Amino acid sequence: MVDMMPRPDSPDRGAVTVEAALALTSLAVVLALALAGVSAVAAQLRCVDAAREAARLVARGEQDRATELARRIAPRGASVELTVRGDEVTARVSADPMVAMLPGVEIGAEAAAVLEPGLAS
């Protein structure tokens, strides 16, 4: 029968504990990054929806309502910019999600629409 236990004076003593600690730490980091990625995708989708709805409302002549609704749809703290040039409207919604977890990732969306007849300046 082979003895699987290391001897007390063996240089491998405690190696399994260190390997387990490193594995658990790596798993926690990967899980945190995966959750941050899912959160970023959800924020991106909310920005797309908010920009599209804001552009549509401005095209119908409801600019005040567009800003209010876009801020409600977009992630908390998002900025909403509405630009009208001629008969075109552009809505830009941008958010800043989890900067510490995902540096360099920008979340935002832009949508465009044509103003309804009679609303163009």
Side-chain angles (χ1 to χ4, degrees):
M1 185 157 141
V2 178
D3 186 15
M4 298 301 284
M5 296 294 295
R7 296 186 338 211
D9 60 342
S10 171
D12 291 336
R13 186 167 189 205
V16 172
T17 304
V18 172
E19 290 170 359
L22 288 174
L24 288 175
T25 302
S26 300
L27 183 63
V29 168
V30 168
L31 180 62
L33 287 174
L35 289 175
V38 168
S39 173
V41 168
Q44 175 68 29
L45 291 174
R46 290 179 69 185
C47 286
V48 168
D49 290 343
R52 183 182 57 227
E53 192 64 26
R56 188 182 66 82
L57 284 171
V58 172
R60 288 180 23 192
E62 302 179 53
Q63 187 161 352
D64 294 336
R65 188 169 173 217
T67 303
E68 174 191 333
L69 188 62
R71 287 208 170 106
R72 227 179 342 169
I73 295 171
R76 182 170 297 166
S79 65
V80 178
E81 299 172 29
L82 302 172
T83 307
V84 179
R85 289 193 184 115
D87 68 341
E88 296 177 357
V89 60
T90 303
R92 171 102 177 115
V93 178
S94 57
D96 194 19
M98 303 181 110
V99 174
M101 290 296 292
L102 298 170
V105 174
E106 295 179 19
I107 303 296
E110 190 171 287
V114 177
L115 292 174
E116 293 288 326
L119 294 177
S121 53

